[in-house]
Amino acid sequence: MSEQQGAPEQLAAGKSQGGAGATYKVVVFEFENFRGKKVELSAECKDVIEKECEKVGSVIVESGPWVAFECQAFGGEQFVLEKGEYPRWSTWTNSQTNNYLLSFRPLQVDSADHKLHLFDKPGYTGRKMEIVDDDIPSLWVHGFQDCVASVKALNGTWVGYMFPGYRGRQYVFELGDYKHWNDWGATAPQIQSVRRVRDMQWHKRGCFTAPAPPPAPTPAPNPTPPPTAGTS
């Protein structure tokens, strides 16, 4: 396997705009519940303040996926945003450091297939776990400890979480090699759950589709009243 670019190199090379033919649109609002200044984005935005929006408190992703950041220039904690509505901070994270977002970029999605290799030592050494087309809410259940020190994302886009059940800080893995946990913005090699990131290009209705409500029952016709006595 040839060496792939890591996330910093992908971003610098302008490869974070998704696969061929992918389209992106996100609508951001200054305050919670889709109030205040409204800005539409179809490409990366390093600083929403440059769009005359002081901060972002709620989001509607019309097509994506996207990754949002708590700081300008794609800094600080990161949050994956797939198709859907996010009326306040608690809908995009359960690990609050603040209640707003300041920069956004589209996520690269290279194919509908997903394959990820996890290693418990830097430089792709130590114990290895391969994940193919699956979401893993707990690495412990599969016999892999919580120490993930290097990663190879061979297909698809993934997001890892510090804790089981997709909780805690999020770390994005686009197509590429990550030799050290610093490469994905972590300060410690701790990941305990991972899942696939979906995209409208491959999953036409987004990642999480609400089931259609059951049809309302048809009311029974009113019974015909019996004839009144003495009526011809």
Side-chain angles (χ1 to χ4, degrees):
M1 174 183 168
S2 61
E3 290 292 310
Q4 302 285 352
Q5 289 179 306
E9 289 81 5
Q10 291 168 348
L11 188 57
K15 294 187 178 181
S16 63
Q17 302 305 312
T23 58
Y24 293 87
K25 183 178 179 181
V26 62
V27 184
V28 302
F29 299 83
E30 185 176 4
F31 303 120
E32 292 184 356
N33 298 316
F34 317 117
R35 296 177 296 111
K37 174 74 175 181
K38 172 184 174 182
V39 177
E40 294 185 1
L41 302 174
S42 57
E44 67 179 31
C45 175
K46 294 184 178 180
D47 188 353
V48 296
I49 297 176
E50 295 178 354
K51 303 288 185 180
E52 300 181 353
C53 185
E54 182 179 343
K55 61 182 180 179
V56 171
S58 52
V59 178
I60 298 175
V61 177
E62 296 191 4
S63 59
W66 293 74
V67 56
F69 300 82
E70 66 174 339
C71 300
Q72 294 99 331
F74 316 122
E77 194 168 351
Q78 51 192 295
F79 310 96
V80 171
L81 303 174
E82 289 150 306
K83 183 186 177 187
E85 297 185 353
Y86 302 82
R88 66 191 305 266
W89 69 267
S90 59
T91 56
W92 63 70
T93 182
N94 52 31
S95 173
Q96 184 193 20
T97 54
N98 59 46
N99 59 0
Y100 57 84
L101 305 168
L102 290 177
S103 55
F104 296 79
R105 69 173 179 87
L107 273 176
Q108 172 192 353
V109 175
D110 65 294
S111 74
D113 300 322
H114 292 78
K115 181 185 287 188
L116 188 73
H117 288 173
L118 306 178
F119 303 84
D120 68 356
K121 303 293 183 183
Y124 323 118
T125 59
R127 292 190 60 196
K128 173 184 173 182
M129 177 178 181
E130 180 178 90
I131 305 171
V132 179
D133 292 329
D134 199 7
D135 300 330
I136 307 296
S138 174
L139 297 181
W140 283 93
V141 172
H142 292 263
F144 198 85
Q145 60 188 12
D146 63 348
C147 182
V148 177
S150 54
V151 173
K152 287 192 175 187
L154 282 71
N155 294 105
T157 304
W158 300 76
V159 54
Y161 297 81
M162 285 189 68
F163 304 118
Y166 315 121
R167 296 179 298 109
R169 282 183 173 264
Q170 304 175 27
Y171 303 110
V172 172
F173 300 101
E174 293 167 293
L175 178 68
D177 294 345
Y178 304 80
K179 294 182 179 180
H180 191 275
W181 58 87
N182 294 155
D183 292 343
W184 60 79
T187 57
Q190 180 178 338
I191 291 178
Q192 296 189 40
S193 53
V194 295
R195 70 173 180 86
R196 298 162 290 175
V197 176
R198 305 302 182 89
D199 174 60
M200 286 292 291
Q201 182 184 6
W202 307 106
H203 306 269
K204 296 301 182 183
R205 300 191 64 184
C207 182
F208 302 109
T209 303
T218 304
N222 294 326
T224 304
T228 304
T231 301
S232 58

